[in-house]
Amino acid sequence: MKELVTCKNLTKQYGSKLALNNINLSLEPGKIIGLLGPNGSGKTTLIKILNQLTFPTSGEVLIAGNPLSVTTKSLISYLPDRMYLGNWMHVSDALDFFSDFYTDFDRSRAQDMLSKLNIRLSDTIRAMSKGTKEKLQLILVMSRRAALYCLDEPIAGVDPAARDYILSTILNNYAPDAAILISTHLISDIENILDEVIFIRDGAIVLQSSVDDLRIQNGKSVDHVFREVFKC
Amino acid sequence: MAWNLTSDRPIYIQLVEKLQLDIITGSYRLGEKLPSVRDLASEAAVNPNTMQKALTELERSGLVYTQRTAGRFVTDDPALIRSIRRDLAASHIRDFIRTMRQFDMSDDEILHLIEEIMKEEIE
C-alpha cells in the first residue's frame, strides 16, 4: 500500500532539549492510528511538524509523496490541542473561515451536524461550554475531505457522553481512504476504534503495532500494555 | 448503545462472536440482509475496518455471504446454523467441564448435579 506519511530520521531540538530523536515512521491510508505517550513525550511536536507549525531540526517528512508545503497543508485537516477560533466569532463566521481557507470543506455536512446538536449559526463562541467548543472544532475539522486528519487530544477535558459523541463523529466522517492520527493519553476510551498504535517516549518510537496483534501477543488491553511500558 | 466489548481480546474476534450469536439466536433471520459495514461499525462503536475484518471472517465460515451489488446476507442454510450452534454449545460445555474438574468433581458427580439442577429449573 502507498504510504501516506513518511518520516525519515526526523529530529527536533528545542535549544538543548531533544523533543524528537531520529524518528522513522510510516503511516498507511485507511487506518485510524493512535499516537500514545505520556506528557512531554513528543506527540504534539510530531503533529505540529506535520502541520508546519514548527520545523524539523533535521530529517525528512513526506505526505503522500510531497515534501511539507502548501500542498501538504491542503491534504491535512488538523485539530489542535487548544481552541484556535476567536472568542468573538459566531458559528457562521467559523464556517465562513473554513469555506474560505479549505476547498475541501463540506459546509452543508458541517451545518447538518451542528443543527443536530442544536448549535445555532448565530451562537457566539465566547458563550459556549468547553465541551461545545470541542465539538464545534471537531465538526469543522471532520467536515473537510482530507487525506490525513491529525487530531491532537480530541477527547481531553470533556465528559464521557461528549467523548462518545466525538468518537462516533470521527468514525462516521472519515473517508475509507483517509488516515486519522489521534494523539491522546486517554487510551481506554479510544482503543476500540484504533487500527494501529504508536507508543512514543522521550521523542523516540517505542512500538508500532496493530491493536489486534498487540492484544493477541499480550492478552491485555492496549491501556494495560501502555501502563506496563510507561510505568513510572 | 455500543456493543459490550472487553479490552483484553482482539476486537474483531469479539465482533465475530457477537454476530454469530445474533444469527444463531435469530436476531438476524435466515437469508436476512445485514446492515452495511459502516452502520454496523457505528452501532458497535468500532472502526469500520475492524467490522470489515469480522464480516470477512464470517464469510469464510459461510454464515454470511455477499451478493455483489445487493449487499451482505445471512446464510439461508439451516443445517449450517445448526452445526455452528452445536460447535458453540460444545465449546461452552468444554469450558464448563474444565472448571468442574478444577473443583475436583468426578464425571458422575458432574452429570448428577446437572440433572438435579435441570429438574429444579423445570419446577
Side-chain angles (χ1 to χ4, degrees):
Chain A
M1 202 181 291
K2 202 170 182 316
E3 285 178 16
L4 184 58
V5 178
T6 314
C7 298
K8 286 183 203 152
N9 306 320
L10 185 64
T11 295
K12 172 68 185 180
Q13 240 169 325
Y14 291 113
S16 63
K17 160 100 175 127
L18 204 53
L20 294 179
N21 186 1
N22 201 34
I23 282 188
N24 288 290
L25 182 67
S26 77
L27 306 180
E28 291 168 1
K31 288 191 171 173
I32 304 182
I33 304 133
L35 180 62
L36 314 177
N39 298 324
S41 54
K43 303 187 294 289
T44 296
T45 302
L46 178 59
I47 287 182
K48 278 184 171 172
I49 287 176
L50 297 179
N51 290 286
Q52 300 171 75
L53 294 172
T54 184
F55 295 89
T57 309
S58 62
E60 191 185 11
V61 181
L62 298 173
I63 311 285
N66 305 292
L68 295 176
S69 60
V70 179
T71 310
T72 64
K73 278 191 182 179
S74 72
L75 296 173
I76 304 177
S77 191
Y78 169 47
L79 181 75
D81 59 351
R82 64 192 63 182
M83 189 70 195
Y84 64 99
L85 298 167
N87 249 334
W88 54 269
M89 280 185 168
H90 298 273
V91 172
S92 57
D93 298 324
L95 290 169
D96 289 345
F97 249 60
F98 266 72
S99 302
D100 277 354
F101 270 109
Y102 303 114
T103 50
D104 61 357
F105 180 63
D106 184 344
R107 187 175 183 132
S108 63
R109 179 192 286 261
Q111 282 179 344
D112 204 40
M113 285 194 267
L114 291 168
S115 73
K116 281 190 187 132
L117 288 177
N118 298 317
I119 298 175
R120 287 179 309 250
L121 296 181
S122 57
D123 288 353
T124 52
I125 288 172
R126 193 194 313 279
M128 286 180 181
S129 71
K130 185 169 167 54
T132 306
K133 285 180 195 168
E134 295 271 356
K135 286 180 204 157
L136 168 64
Q137 286 203 123
L138 183 80
I139 286 172
L140 292 169
V141 166
M142 294 308 298
S143 294
R144 287 185 54 198
R145 308 288 80 198
L148 173 67
Y149 299 85
C150 290
L151 312 178
D152 198 356
E153 297 284 1
I155 55 171
V158 299
D159 65 71
R163 261 173 221 182
D164 285 349
Y165 176 82
I166 289 171
L167 294 184
S168 73
T169 303
I170 294 171
L171 281 176
N172 292 331
N173 287 289
Y174 93 103
D177 51 353
I180 306 183
L181 183 65
I182 305 179
S183 95
T184 187
H185 50 250
L186 300 167
I187 300 166
S188 58
D189 282 317
I190 215 169
E191 65 172 280
N192 279 359
I193 74 161
L194 299 177
D195 288 301
E196 204 173 284
V197 289
I198 296 166
F199 282 11
I200 180 169
R201 172 167 55 194
D202 299 332
I205 286 169
V206 186
L207 176 154
Q208 181 174 8
S209 164
S210 95
V211 169
D212 280 339
D213 288 349
L214 200 66
R215 288 185 180 199
I216 291 171
Q217 280 163 19
N218 296 279
K220 290 172 187 156
S221 65
V222 175
D223 186 53
H224 208 111
V225 176
F226 181 90
R227 283 166 203 257
E228 283 177 2
V229 171
F230 292 102
K231 197 168 176 205
C232 299
Chain B
M1 186 59 208
W3 296 1
N4 201 357
L5 304 171
T6 66
S7 53
D8 52 353
R9 295 193 306 135
I11 297 156
Y12 82 93
I13 293 177
Q14 300 182 59
L15 300 180
V16 167
E17 290 168 352
K18 156 84 166 121
L19 288 165
Q20 238 177 19
L21 205 62
D22 281 352
I23 292 172
I24 290 172
T25 57
S27 298
Y28 293 116
R29 297 182 185 288
L30 280 183
E32 185 178 333
K33 187 174 193 294
L34 288 172
S36 71
V37 175
R38 229 156 222 274
D39 289 347
L40 279 172
S42 166
E43 187 191 318
V46 300
N47 187 317
N49 294 333
T50 315
M51 186 56 78
Q52 178 67 51
K53 193 169 168 189
L55 288 166
T56 308
E57 200 65 27
L58 285 171
E59 270 172 23
R60 197 161 21 208
S61 72
L63 209 48
V64 157
Y65 67 95
T66 304
Q67 237 167 26
R68 209 174 301 155
T69 51
R72 222 179 239 101
F73 296 83
V74 176
T75 179
D76 35 29
D77 176 6
L80 182 62
I81 291 187
R82 275 199 299 276
S83 113
I84 285 173
R85 178 193 290 136
R86 192 203 163 278
D87 291 348
L88 199 64
S91 122
H92 277 271
I93 290 170
R94 247 176 246 118
D95 288 345
F96 164 77
I97 292 173
R98 203 171 299 128
T99 312
M100 291 305 110
R101 287 189 176 147
Q102 278 171 358
F103 293 171
D104 225 9
M105 304 261 291
S106 74
D107 290 2
D108 271 351
E109 281 176 304
I110 298 172
L111 284 169
H112 276 119
L113 191 57
I114 290 176
E115 280 175 5
E116 218 172 278
I117 288 173
M118 277 183 139
K119 269 182 211 146
E120 282 174 25
E121 290 288 310
I122 291 166
E123 288 156 13

